[in-house]
Amino acid sequence: MLAVIAGALVARRAQALAVLLLAVLASAAAAAAPLYVSAAGQALARQELADAPSDQQRVRISSIGEHTGLPDDPGTAPFQGLLTPFAAAGYDVVLGAQAGGVTVGPAGRTVNGNLVFRQGVCERVTVTGSCPRSTAEGERPEVMVSANTAAHLGVTAGGEVTFAGVPLRVSGVYRPLDPTEPYWLGDELLRPPAPGAAPPSAVGSADDAIFTAAASRLADDDAVLQRPLADVFVTDELVSTGSAEDIKAAVATATSSAPHVRFGTGSGLPQLLDRVAVQRDQLESGVALGAGLLVLLCWLVLFVAVGSAADERRPEQGLLLLRGVQRRRLWALALGESAVPALAAIPLGALTGLAAAELLAAHTLTGDARLALGGAAFAYATIAAAGALAAVLLAQTRTLSAPVVDLLRRVPARARGWRTSLGDVAAVSVAVAAMAQLRSGGSPSGLALLAPVVAALAVGVLLARFALLSSAAVGAALLARGRIRAGLALLQVGRQPRFRPLIALLTVAVAMLAFTAGIRQRATEAYADRAVVDVGAPRVIGVDALSRSHLLSAVRAVDPEGRYAMAVVTSSGGDAKTPVLAVDSPRLATVAATHPAYGVAPAELARPLRPAPQTESVLLRGRDLTVTVDADFDEFAFAGHAPRLHLLVAGPTGSRLVGVDRPLASGREEYRVPVPECVPQCRLVRFEVSAQVTPGPLKIRLEQVRAGDGTVQLSGADLADMRRWRQPGQTVDYWFDSAVGGEPALLLDVPDGRRTAPIPIAVADAPNPLPAWLTRSWGTQHGSFRYDGIDGAPTNALIAGFVDRLPRLGGSGLLVDLEYADRLAVAGQDGTKEVWLGAAAPADVLERLREQGVAVRYDRTISGEREELLSQAPALALTFNLFAALAGVLIGAAGLVTTAAADQRSRVAMLVALRRQGLAVRAVRGGYGWPVVFATVAGASATVVIWLLARDGQRLFGDGRSPAPVPAWPDVGRLLAVTVSAVTVFAVTAVVLGWVLTAAVRRRTTR
């Protein structure tokens, strides 16, 4: 039998080669999936590592006890083997030591930066002067300070400073080459600047680390206490190609062993590894669709090719059976002919899959990916090859089990009976089960990952059956009417069962290309939408300012015309609280990025947020204020509980409640209030009277407020102007009004009765309640809305209208004016401060902000956010699936070619006979265009079906969050362009095959 199989392979080497190539293609498609997952997983791990905070990139091992002397090179001995496993595994280990203390410059100015020894620092800085060197006994130890520290202390290279009373020589002034390098430990060594004065450098602050070298013993080593430490950094290679479990085990071992040698550890590395694992899982499940599509198409094309070839060998097999050859020998021959190329396809397919994965990774991923054939790739290739072998045998089942009479027919008999529907029932059943699992909720897994593919196959199989039945009937009708060319081609399609799997194959190819292209386009639009809503403006700068008013004034100083910059404060709204977005509303329309998901244009959003207030703000000037008060109360009854007067003032550093210099006394008195924040000026927020109890009536007349130099800040008439004042909150157990009789004044009247809450009289320089826009997720009822303000204190808003979504907050939140919200604020400086920039922002805008004392913390852009989304696991999986669908078009064309090649000899013979009987030349056509037409219609139908059922089951975002609505349908024009290109490939293939067939007929009929 082996010799017979070898002879059959040689005799039918073209078919064997076709089976080999298609099996290689199936194995390559299956092997490419895990290889691409590996490459993309490496890219994702590198990106996560680059974006991770410092504590998640390393393991810190530090001494529990303190050692005397200046920080020095500890060496590895004190760690007693804790570092050995890390060094052997390829981690980057940086040894060091640090001491905390105060450094004093020659002019007496101080900084709180740590004194640090750290290996490799000189290779990572540029130095004016020189790096510190080891000093001999009696010499002053040398240190290196940052440019920020040097400017603050007023010292240069060659100068001197003292640390904890120890004199030190400054050998150099350093600037880091790459402050974003993990070596610098985020903000630990290069401290972020505090808001206020502009720093001399864009990186770091005056409290940057001061670096020293190995030094001799001090005269008094006890003056300085330092801790040896080691930072163990995980590398790109370990995170991308290493085992997460091994890394976690190493961290756990160090954590458990360190206390035994008086060391402690700290690391956020496991959190990083967990995020990488989630991304890889999402990538693996997302790629399953593309890999399943390719493998299924390869199996289908093998089924088509082998089935067509088997139909051509029917007479041969019939004669063998007539001569007594047993069927089991025919099965053995068929198995042998198929098994040899299928087995050979496993290594070849794995190598081809490796090349394909490397090519795709080079064009879709950043950085170099290290790919190698492993057990997973060979396992998937073997499964695909086994499936290919099964497809080959299944394709020959009908021929090998047919009666001899049927085998001797030129045209196979039409299959009848329940067995002919088993395939259809199986395909539909699998598709229904997959769709049910997909739509049941939760993350797709198992069969649900392949739901679009099996659904497209089910639609293709059913419509292919209908196409064959209708083409036979229509073809016969056309022949009866004299439409020879079309009728003959349709009749040929309807009479040949081999065209049914071909139509199903082309249907799946068309439908899955349209579906994956539509999902990819939908995802791209969703990424752009999310970037716009999440960021809020073309560019957003996270900042730290002294206060909200400082932020407003700084941004207005940088952009006085309001063309490109806007101050913003956001509060997260945790614990079921309403998130708040406070903006400098007159600039909203100019700076914020527009998006239709908001439902209202930014210009419309800004309009109702800033109505004219009752009065302008009350500005106070002077370091000391004097308040004239005429109080009327029973001092005996209030004994020990005399009321006190406070002023809540807001300056550049925030708001502060300041009390007068003594408790109020009955009668007319002047009280002094020290307010250094009112130089050059501050804003009066409110007066506040505190009285623990009010055992009798209490009346207070506020008659005047003047500066220390006698300048009147608030006259009696100003205080008596009731348009200036409002009553915060909803309390009604006190009231105030203009004083009646005598000099004008503001009169506060508190009836007797116990009272513990302060009694406020606020400046009415902002509308209260504050006008606001509310997202519809919080309801659509107009009127007052209770929420926590930007200072964290409960307050009310007056709803001006409702929106679907808001910039940055998405579908849940409240939009208010920042300046008015700040005027109403009475508590702390809660919230995240940002500066939103429009497209017209100049290139040096960050420097301008720093000059205003605003410290820059982060920088986000809409384009950067979109690129980040495109580099995450779901987007990479969609890219692979689109690549698979494009490759599926070529596989479909290959199926068309193999069907025509198997059909060539019999079709040529039939058409030659018809030509000799008078068939016109123009009627001689291949008829291969009709399967393309049927597949196009079926593919369009299948696309609509799987889109409606499966579009929401495709993962677009790693975190599953979408602040903007995801488009329900792709752009029809773009989708048609992609689909038409696939149909064009099939149509051109069919035309070429028709030309080949026509040319062969003409050669035979002109001899």
Side-chain angles (χ1 to χ4, degrees), residues 30-104:
L35 291 169
Y36 180 78
V37 167
S38 175
Q42 294 174 33
L44 291 170
R46 289 193 297 267
Q47 186 63 43
E48 286 287 350
L49 179 62
D51 295 340
S54 172
D55 67 304
Q56 294 184 8
Q57 299 178 340
R58 62 183 168 91
V59 180
R60 164 64 62 88
I61 303 175
S62 60
S63 173
I64 295 176
E66 293 182 321
H67 301 246
T68 59
L70 292 176
D72 199 353
D73 187 351
T76 58
F79 297 92
Q80 300 187 33
L82 289 175
L83 302 178
T84 304
F86 291 109
Y91 293 78
D92 291 336
V93 179
V94 178
L95 298 177
Q98 65 182 29
V102 177
T103 303
V104 184

Side-chain angles (χ1 to χ4, degrees), residues 727-755:
Q727 182 173 338
Q730 300 176 351
T731 56
V732 294
D733 52 356
Y734 74 97
W735 58 88
F736 57 88
D737 202 348
S738 300
V740 178
E743 296 295 326
L746 175 63
L747 175 64
L748 172 65
D749 192 344
V750 184
D752 59 346
R754 299 187 60 84
R755 178 180 179 82

Side-chain angles (χ1 to χ4, degrees), residues 60 101 122 152 169 176 256 305 314 493 532 757 781 801 831 885 891 917 967:
R60 164 64 62 88
C122 291
H152 182 77
R169 178 180 178 273
S256 61
R314 293 167 60 84
V493 170
V532 170
Q781 184 175 357
I891 295 173
Q917 295 176 27

Side-chain angles (χ1 to χ4, degrees), residues 646-933:
H646 300 80
L647 276 69
L648 182 64
V649 296
T653 59
S655 57
R656 186 169 71 98
L657 188 66
V658 187
V660 298
D661 57 348
R662 63 187 186 278
L664 298 181
S666 184
R668 190 174 188 273
E669 299 279 349
E670 291 186 347
Y671 300 88
R672 179 179 171 273
V673 187
V675 281
E677 53 265 81
C678 292
V679 178
Q681 72 177 22
C682 67
R683 178 174 56 85
L684 176 64
V685 179
R686 68 187 187 185
F687 294 106
E688 191 172 288
V689 175
S690 60
Q692 294 181 0
V693 295
T694 53
L698 172 64
K699 293 184 179 181
I700 298 176
R701 286 169 50 98
L702 300 175
E703 297 183 350
Q704 189 184 72
V705 178
R706 67 178 185 272
D709 60 1
T711 305
V712 175
Q713 306 287 300
L714 284 171
S715 65
D718 294 332
L719 290 165
D721 185 357
M722 296 308 297
R723 294 173 300 177
R724 287 180 174 268
W725 314 107
R726 63 179 178 84
Q727 182 173 338
Q730 300 176 351
T731 56
V732 294
D733 52 356
Y734 74 97
W735 58 88
F736 57 88
D737 202 348
S738 300
V740 178
E743 296 295 326
L746 175 63
L747 175 64
L748 172 65
D749 192 344
V750 184
D752 59 346
R754 299 187 60 84
R755 178 180 179 82
T756 57
I759 305 167
I761 303 175
V763 179
D765 56 354
N768 187 37
L770 201 60
W773 288 90
L774 183 66
T775 55
R776 288 187 173 86
S777 60
W778 287 90
T780 56
Q781 184 175 357
H782 286 272
S784 181
F785 181 81
R786 191 74 172 170
Y787 74 103
D788 285 354
I790 57 175
D791 59 346
T795 186
N796 291 315
L798 182 63
I799 303 304
F802 300 94
V803 293
D804 296 326
R805 286 163 184 81
L806 287 170
R808 176 60 59 81
L809 304 184
S812 176
L814 189 80
L815 175 67
V816 297
D817 180 79
L818 174 58
E819 186 169 20
Y820 281 172
D822 183 51
R823 291 179 183 179
L824 295 179
V826 295
Q829 296 291 322
D830 293 356
T832 301
K833 300 178 180 67
E834 294 178 336
V835 179
W836 289 14
L837 300 175
D844 64 342
V845 66
L846 296 186
E847 292 302 321
R848 298 186 188 186
L849 288 170
R850 292 189 182 99
E851 290 173 0
Q852 298 298 322
V854 173
V856 175
R857 294 290 181 257
Y858 57 82
D859 190 346
R860 297 175 66 192
T861 62
I862 289 177
S863 59
E865 194 79 4
R866 184 173 61 249
E867 292 302 318
E868 183 177 345
L869 290 170
L870 286 169
S871 66
Q872 291 183 354
L876 296 179
L878 294 177
T879 299
F880 178 85
N881 294 341
L882 182 58
F883 162 79
L886 291 171
V889 173
L890 300 180
I891 295 173
L896 197 57
V897 171
T898 54
T899 301
D903 192 42
Q904 176 85 355
R905 185 165 56 180
S906 62
R907 292 287 299 277
V908 169
M910 180 193 71
L911 290 172
V912 166
L914 291 174
R915 277 283 294 128
R916 289 172 179 171
Q917 295 176 27
L919 181 67
V921 176
R922 60 185 179 84
V924 178
R925 292 291 185 271
Y928 301 113
W930 287 109
V932 175
V933 173

Side-chain angles (χ1 to χ4, degrees), residues 904 907-908 911 925-926 928 993-1002:
Q904 176 85 355
R907 292 287 299 277
V908 169
L911 290 172
R925 292 291 185 271
Y928 301 113
L993 293 174
W995 286 345
V996 172
L997 182 66
T998 302
V1001 172
R1002 286 178 177 176

Side-chain angles (χ1 to χ4, degrees), residues 131-393:
C131 272
R133 59 182 178 84
S134 300
T135 55
E137 188 171 357
E139 292 184 296
R140 289 194 172 176
E142 294 187 351
V143 295
M144 178 173 61
V145 300
S146 73
N148 300 302
T149 305
H152 182 77
L153 295 179
V155 68
T156 59
E160 291 187 359
V161 296
T162 60
F163 177 83
V166 177
L168 304 172
R169 178 180 178 273
V170 178
S171 65
V173 178
Y174 72 86
R175 293 180 183 270
L177 292 173
D178 182 8
T180 63
E181 186 182 0
Y183 176 89
W184 295 102
L185 306 177
D187 295 339
E188 182 174 332
L189 299 179
L190 303 175
R191 301 276 180 85
S201 172
V203 177
S205 67
D207 293 329
D208 292 341
I210 300 173
F211 292 100
T212 184
S216 59
R217 291 180 59 86
L218 300 174
D220 181 11
D221 273 345
D222 292 338
V224 179
L225 298 177
Q226 49 96 5
R227 293 177 187 271
L229 56 85
D231 288 310
V232 182
F233 292 93
V234 66
T235 62
D236 282 353
E237 183 176 357
L238 283 170
V239 170
S240 58
T241 62
S243 167
E245 297 304 320
D246 290 346
I247 298 175
K248 288 182 178 180
V251 174
T253 300
T255 301
S256 61
S257 302
H260 300 296
V261 292
R262 295 189 57 76
F263 274 83
T265 62
S267 177
L269 190 54
Q271 290 94 311
L272 168 67
L273 298 175
D274 290 341
R275 291 200 306 274
V276 171
V278 169
Q279 289 259 38
R280 282 177 166 163
D281 289 343
Q282 292 176 354
L283 178 67
E284 187 172 348
S285 61
V287 164
L289 176 64
L293 170 63
L294 282 176
V295 173
L296 176 64
L297 289 176
C298 291
W299 290 347
L300 276 175
V301 76
L302 270 169
F303 184 85
V304 170
V306 175
S308 300
D311 284 345
E312 290 301 307
R313 295 200 304 271
R314 293 167 60 84
E316 171 190 327
Q317 293 176 355
L319 291 174
L320 288 174
L321 290 172
L322 280 177
R323 293 173 180 174
V325 176
Q326 297 177 339
R327 286 188 183 271
R328 60 183 179 83
R329 293 187 173 273
L330 293 180
W331 275 104
L333 178 60
L335 179 62
E337 280 191 80
S338 305
V340 172
L343 291 173
I346 295 175
L348 296 176
L351 292 173
T352 306
L354 174 62
E358 289 178 341
L359 180 63
L360 184 59
H363 287 82
T364 60
L365 305 177
T366 57
D368 296 329
R370 299 177 58 183
L371 295 180
L373 290 175
F378 277 108
Y380 279 96
T382 302
I383 293 172
L389 178 60
V392 168
L393 294 177

Side-chain angles (χ1 to χ4, degrees), residues 435 438-439 455 515 943-953:
M435 282 298 177
L438 180 67
R439 296 179 64 84
F515 179 76
T943 301
V944 173
V945 171
I946 61 178
W947 183 268
L948 292 174
L949 295 177
R951 66 184 176 191
D952 294 331

